[in-house]
Short mmCIF file of all heavy atoms in Angstrom, two decimals:
data_model
loop_
_atom_site.label_atom_id
_atom_site.label_comp_id
_atom_site.label_asym_id
_atom_site.label_seq_id
_atom_site.Cartn_x
_atom_site.Cartn_y
_atom_site.Cartn_z
N PRO A 16 115.20 124.91 87.64
CA PRO A 16 115.17 126.28 87.00
C PRO A 16 116.17 127.27 87.60
O PRO A 16 116.77 127.94 86.79
CB PRO A 16 113.74 126.70 87.40
CG PRO A 16 112.92 125.52 87.61
CD PRO A 16 113.83 124.47 88.18
N PRO A 17 116.46 127.26 88.85
CA PRO A 17 117.53 128.30 89.32
C PRO A 17 118.90 127.97 88.81
O PRO A 17 119.63 128.88 88.55
CB PRO A 17 117.39 128.21 90.90
CG PRO A 17 116.13 127.68 91.19
CD PRO A 17 115.84 126.81 90.07
N VAL A 18 119.20 126.67 88.68
CA VAL A 18 120.50 126.34 88.18
C VAL A 18 120.66 126.80 86.65
O VAL A 18 121.68 127.29 86.32
CB VAL A 18 120.69 124.83 88.19
CG1 VAL A 18 122.00 124.42 87.57
CG2 VAL A 18 120.66 124.32 89.61
N ALA A 19 119.65 126.63 85.94
CA ALA A 19 119.68 127.15 84.50
C ALA A 19 119.91 128.52 84.40
O ALA A 19 120.60 129.16 83.64
CB ALA A 19 118.46 126.69 83.74
N VAL A 20 119.15 129.30 85.24
CA VAL A 20 119.29 130.86 85.25
C VAL A 20 120.62 131.25 85.74
O VAL A 20 121.21 132.09 85.23
CB VAL A 20 118.17 131.42 86.15
CG1 VAL A 20 118.37 132.87 86.30
CG2 VAL A 20 116.71 131.09 85.55
N PHE A 21 121.23 130.56 86.71
CA PHE A 21 122.51 130.82 87.20
C PHE A 21 123.58 130.58 86.08
O PHE A 21 124.43 131.44 85.92
CB PHE A 21 122.83 130.00 88.42
CG PHE A 21 124.25 130.17 88.90
CD1 PHE A 21 124.64 131.36 89.60
CD2 PHE A 21 125.11 129.16 88.72
CE1 PHE A 21 126.02 131.53 89.91
CE2 PHE A 21 126.50 129.32 89.18
CZ PHE A 21 126.90 130.55 89.79
N LEU A 22 123.47 129.47 85.45
CA LEU A 22 124.41 129.12 84.35
C LEU A 22 124.38 130.10 83.21
O LEU A 22 125.33 130.43 82.58
CB LEU A 22 124.16 127.75 83.96
CG LEU A 22 124.63 126.52 84.91
CD1 LEU A 22 124.23 125.25 84.31
CD2 LEU A 22 126.00 126.64 85.19
N HIS A 23 123.17 130.66 83.00
CA HIS A 23 122.96 131.51 81.83
C HIS A 23 123.27 132.94 82.16
O HIS A 23 123.95 133.56 81.36
CB HIS A 23 121.54 131.40 81.16
CG HIS A 23 121.30 132.17 79.97
ND1 HIS A 23 121.90 131.79 78.75
CD2 HIS A 23 120.61 133.28 79.77
CE1 HIS A 23 121.49 132.56 77.82
NE2 HIS A 23 120.76 133.60 78.42
N ARG A 24 122.90 133.38 83.35
CA ARG A 24 122.99 134.87 83.70
C ARG A 24 123.87 135.19 84.78
O ARG A 24 124.32 136.30 85.08
CB ARG A 24 121.55 135.47 84.02
CG ARG A 24 120.58 135.39 82.93
CD ARG A 24 120.86 136.46 81.84
NE ARG A 24 120.80 137.73 82.47
CZ ARG A 24 120.08 138.69 82.04
NH1 ARG A 24 119.40 138.55 81.12
NH2 ARG A 24 120.17 139.88 82.70
N GLY A 25 124.20 134.06 85.63
CA GLY A 25 125.10 134.34 86.78
C GLY A 25 124.24 134.93 87.96
O GLY A 25 123.06 134.80 87.93
N MET A 26 124.93 135.32 88.98
CA MET A 26 124.31 135.86 90.15
C MET A 26 123.71 137.23 89.78
O MET A 26 124.23 138.05 89.03
CB MET A 26 125.27 136.17 91.29
CG MET A 26 125.93 134.83 91.89
SD MET A 26 124.74 133.82 92.73
CE MET A 26 124.49 134.79 94.16
N GLY A 27 122.46 137.48 90.29
CA GLY A 27 121.82 138.82 90.12
C GLY A 27 120.30 138.71 90.19
O GLY A 27 119.77 137.79 90.79
N GLY A 28 119.64 139.67 89.60
CA GLY A 28 118.17 139.76 89.77
C GLY A 28 117.41 138.67 89.25
O GLY A 28 116.49 138.19 89.86
N PRO A 29 117.77 138.21 87.99
CA PRO A 29 116.99 137.09 87.46
C PRO A 29 116.98 135.89 88.34
O PRO A 29 116.02 135.13 88.49
CB PRO A 29 117.52 136.86 86.10
CG PRO A 29 118.17 138.19 85.73
CD PRO A 29 118.61 138.88 87.04
N LEU A 30 118.15 135.62 88.89
CA LEU A 30 118.33 134.40 89.72
C LEU A 30 117.50 134.48 90.98
O LEU A 30 116.84 133.47 91.45
CB LEU A 30 119.87 134.20 90.09
CG LEU A 30 120.08 133.02 91.03
CD1 LEU A 30 119.65 131.71 90.32
CD2 LEU A 30 121.60 133.03 91.43
N LEU A 31 117.50 135.63 91.61
CA LEU A 31 116.65 135.92 92.79
C LEU A 31 115.22 135.78 92.51
O LEU A 31 114.49 135.21 93.30
CB LEU A 31 117.03 137.17 93.45
CG LEU A 31 118.39 137.27 93.97
CD1 LEU A 31 118.69 138.73 94.53
CD2 LEU A 31 118.73 136.41 95.13
N ILE A 32 114.81 136.32 91.43
CA ILE A 32 113.33 136.30 91.02
C ILE A 32 112.97 134.85 90.83
O ILE A 32 112.00 134.29 91.28
CB ILE A 32 113.14 137.10 89.84
CG1 ILE A 32 113.25 138.57 90.07
CG2 ILE A 32 111.78 136.75 89.18
CD1 ILE A 32 113.23 139.50 88.89
N ASN A 33 113.89 134.12 90.19
CA ASN A 33 113.55 132.65 89.84
C ASN A 33 113.52 131.86 91.17
O ASN A 33 112.73 130.92 91.23
CB ASN A 33 114.66 132.11 88.85
CG ASN A 33 114.15 130.73 88.32
OD1 ASN A 33 114.50 129.74 88.83
ND2 ASN A 33 113.38 130.77 87.29
N ILE A 34 114.41 132.04 92.10
CA ILE A 34 114.37 131.31 93.36
C ILE A 34 113.06 131.71 94.08
O ILE A 34 112.40 130.71 94.63
CB ILE A 34 115.70 131.66 94.14
CG1 ILE A 34 116.82 131.16 93.47
CG2 ILE A 34 115.41 131.15 95.63
CD1 ILE A 34 118.18 131.51 94.18
N LEU A 35 112.69 132.86 94.11
CA LEU A 35 111.48 133.26 94.72
C LEU A 35 110.21 132.59 94.08
O LEU A 35 109.33 132.04 94.81
CB LEU A 35 111.19 134.73 94.72
CG LEU A 35 110.01 135.38 95.36
CD1 LEU A 35 110.04 135.04 96.90
CD2 LEU A 35 109.85 136.79 95.12
N LEU A 36 110.19 132.62 92.72
CA LEU A 36 109.16 131.93 92.07
C LEU A 36 109.05 130.48 92.29
O LEU A 36 108.11 129.86 92.42
CB LEU A 36 109.24 132.27 90.57
CG LEU A 36 108.84 133.57 90.08
CD1 LEU A 36 109.21 133.75 88.61
CD2 LEU A 36 107.35 133.92 90.29
N CYS A 37 110.23 129.81 92.42
CA CYS A 37 110.23 128.38 92.63
C CYS A 37 109.84 128.03 94.06
O CYS A 37 109.27 126.96 94.30
CB CYS A 37 111.74 127.83 92.40
SG CYS A 37 112.02 127.65 90.68
N LEU A 38 110.16 128.95 95.01
CA LEU A 38 109.72 128.72 96.37
C LEU A 38 108.22 128.81 96.51
O LEU A 38 107.58 128.16 97.30
CB LEU A 38 110.34 129.67 97.34
CG LEU A 38 111.84 129.41 97.59
CD1 LEU A 38 112.51 130.49 98.39
CD2 LEU A 38 112.13 128.02 98.19
N LEU A 39 107.66 129.75 95.83
CA LEU A 39 106.19 129.99 95.84
C LEU A 39 105.35 128.90 95.10
O LEU A 39 104.57 128.25 95.63
CB LEU A 39 105.78 131.31 95.29
CG LEU A 39 106.26 132.57 96.15
CD1 LEU A 39 106.05 133.86 95.31
CD2 LEU A 39 105.75 132.54 97.46
N PHE A 40 105.75 128.71 93.90
CA PHE A 40 105.08 127.75 92.98
C PHE A 40 106.22 127.29 91.97
O PHE A 40 106.97 128.07 91.54
CB PHE A 40 103.89 128.27 92.22
CG PHE A 40 102.80 128.71 93.13
CD1 PHE A 40 102.68 130.13 93.31
CD2 PHE A 40 102.02 127.90 93.79
CE1 PHE A 40 101.57 130.57 94.11
CE2 PHE A 40 100.98 128.31 94.54
CZ PHE A 40 100.81 129.64 94.76
N TYR A 41 106.19 126.02 91.73
CA TYR A 41 107.33 125.51 90.88
C TYR A 41 107.17 125.82 89.39
O TYR A 41 108.09 126.15 88.70
CB TYR A 41 107.43 123.95 91.08
CG TYR A 41 108.71 123.39 90.56
CD1 TYR A 41 109.94 123.65 91.07
CD2 TYR A 41 108.65 122.57 89.41
CE1 TYR A 41 111.08 123.18 90.68
CE2 TYR A 41 109.85 121.99 88.90
CZ TYR A 41 111.10 122.34 89.53
OH TYR A 41 112.22 121.75 89.09
N LEU A 42 105.90 125.82 88.98
CA LEU A 42 105.66 126.00 87.46
C LEU A 42 106.10 127.38 87.07
O LEU A 42 106.66 127.63 86.05
CB LEU A 42 104.20 125.74 87.17
CG LEU A 42 103.83 125.90 85.72
CD1 LEU A 42 104.50 124.85 84.84
CD2 LEU A 42 102.27 125.61 85.59
N PRO A 43 105.79 128.54 87.81
CA PRO A 43 106.20 129.82 87.38
C PRO A 43 107.83 129.97 87.29
O PRO A 43 108.30 130.63 86.40
CB PRO A 43 105.60 130.78 88.41
CG PRO A 43 104.41 130.12 88.92
CD PRO A 43 104.80 128.66 88.88
N GLY A 44 108.38 129.29 88.16
CA GLY A 44 109.84 129.16 88.15
C GLY A 44 110.39 128.61 86.89
O GLY A 44 111.38 129.02 86.33
N ILE A 45 109.73 127.44 86.54
CA ILE A 45 110.11 126.77 85.19
C ILE A 45 109.89 127.86 84.05
O ILE A 45 110.73 127.92 83.15
CB ILE A 45 109.28 125.50 85.04
CG1 ILE A 45 109.81 124.45 86.03
CG2 ILE A 45 109.57 125.02 83.53
CD1 ILE A 45 108.93 123.24 86.03
N LEU A 46 108.68 128.40 83.98
CA LEU A 46 108.33 129.28 82.93
C LEU A 46 109.32 130.52 82.85
O LEU A 46 109.77 130.84 81.77
CB LEU A 46 106.92 129.78 82.98
CG LEU A 46 105.88 128.69 82.86
CD1 LEU A 46 104.46 129.28 83.08
CD2 LEU A 46 106.02 128.03 81.44
N HIS A 47 109.70 131.06 84.02
CA HIS A 47 110.65 132.10 84.00
C HIS A 47 111.99 131.69 83.52
O HIS A 47 112.74 132.45 82.82
CB HIS A 47 110.62 132.71 85.44
CG HIS A 47 111.69 133.80 85.63
ND1 HIS A 47 112.91 133.58 86.17
CD2 HIS A 47 111.70 135.10 85.28
CE1 HIS A 47 113.55 134.74 86.20
NE2 HIS A 47 112.82 135.69 85.65
N ALA A 48 112.49 130.44 83.99
CA ALA A 48 113.81 130.08 83.58
C ALA A 48 113.83 129.84 82.12
O ALA A 48 114.79 130.16 81.47
CB ALA A 48 114.09 128.80 84.34
N LEU A 49 112.72 129.22 81.52
CA LEU A 49 112.73 129.08 80.04
C LEU A 49 112.70 130.40 79.34
O LEU A 49 113.46 130.47 78.30
CB LEU A 49 111.48 128.20 79.68
CG LEU A 49 111.57 126.79 80.10
CD1 LEU A 49 110.11 126.11 79.84
CD2 LEU A 49 112.66 125.96 79.18
N TRP A 50 112.04 131.39 79.83
CA TRP A 50 111.96 132.66 79.24
C TRP A 50 113.40 133.29 79.27
O TRP A 50 113.85 133.88 78.32
CB TRP A 50 111.02 133.47 79.99
CG TRP A 50 110.96 134.92 79.39
CD1 TRP A 50 110.35 135.28 78.25
CD2 TRP A 50 111.34 136.16 80.05
NE1 TRP A 50 110.50 136.65 78.05
CE2 TRP A 50 111.09 137.13 79.13
CE3 TRP A 50 111.92 136.41 81.24
CZ2 TRP A 50 111.31 138.53 79.49
CZ3 TRP A 50 112.21 137.73 81.49
CH2 TRP A 50 111.96 138.77 80.63
N VAL A 51 114.03 133.29 80.38
CA VAL A 51 115.41 133.84 80.63
C VAL A 51 116.33 133.14 79.66
O VAL A 51 117.17 133.77 78.99
CB VAL A 51 115.93 133.65 82.03
CG1 VAL A 51 117.39 134.06 82.14
CG2 VAL A 51 115.16 134.59 82.94
N VAL A 52 116.38 131.80 79.58
CA VAL A 52 117.22 131.05 78.77
C VAL A 52 117.02 131.29 77.29
O VAL A 52 118.00 131.47 76.48
CB VAL A 52 117.11 129.54 79.12
CG1 VAL A 52 118.01 128.78 78.05
CG2 VAL A 52 117.83 129.26 80.46
N ASN A 53 115.91 131.39 76.80
CA ASN A 53 115.57 131.54 75.41
C ASN A 53 115.51 132.92 74.82
O ASN A 53 115.51 133.06 73.67
CB ASN A 53 114.26 130.75 75.13
CG ASN A 53 114.42 129.30 75.18
OD1 ASN A 53 115.41 128.77 74.80
ND2 ASN A 53 113.39 128.65 75.77
N ARG A 54 115.49 133.89 75.71
CA ARG A 54 115.36 135.15 75.18
C ARG A 54 116.70 135.87 74.74
O ARG A 54 116.77 136.77 74.12
CB ARG A 54 114.70 136.19 76.15
CG ARG A 54 115.56 136.61 77.33
CD ARG A 54 114.86 137.67 78.18
NE ARG A 54 115.69 137.82 79.32
CZ ARG A 54 115.90 139.08 79.90
NH1 ARG A 54 115.17 140.03 79.50
NH2 ARG A 54 116.66 139.17 80.81
N GLY A 55 117.83 135.34 75.29
CA GLY A 55 119.09 135.94 74.96
C GLY A 55 120.18 135.20 75.21
O GLY A 55 121.06 134.69 75.05
#
Side-chain angles (χ1 to χ4, degrees):
V18 174
V20 173
F21 174 74
L22 290 174
H23 187 70
R24 299 286 301 233
M26 295 290 288
L30 178 64
L31 294 175
I32 291 170
N33 191 267
I34 290 171
L35 181 66
L36 287 171
C37 284
L38 288 175
L39 294 175
F40 300 103
Y41 195 68
L42 184 62
I45 291 173
L46 295 175
H47 178 257
L49 288 171
W50 180 70
V51 168
V52 167
N53 288 319
R54 77 175 175 144

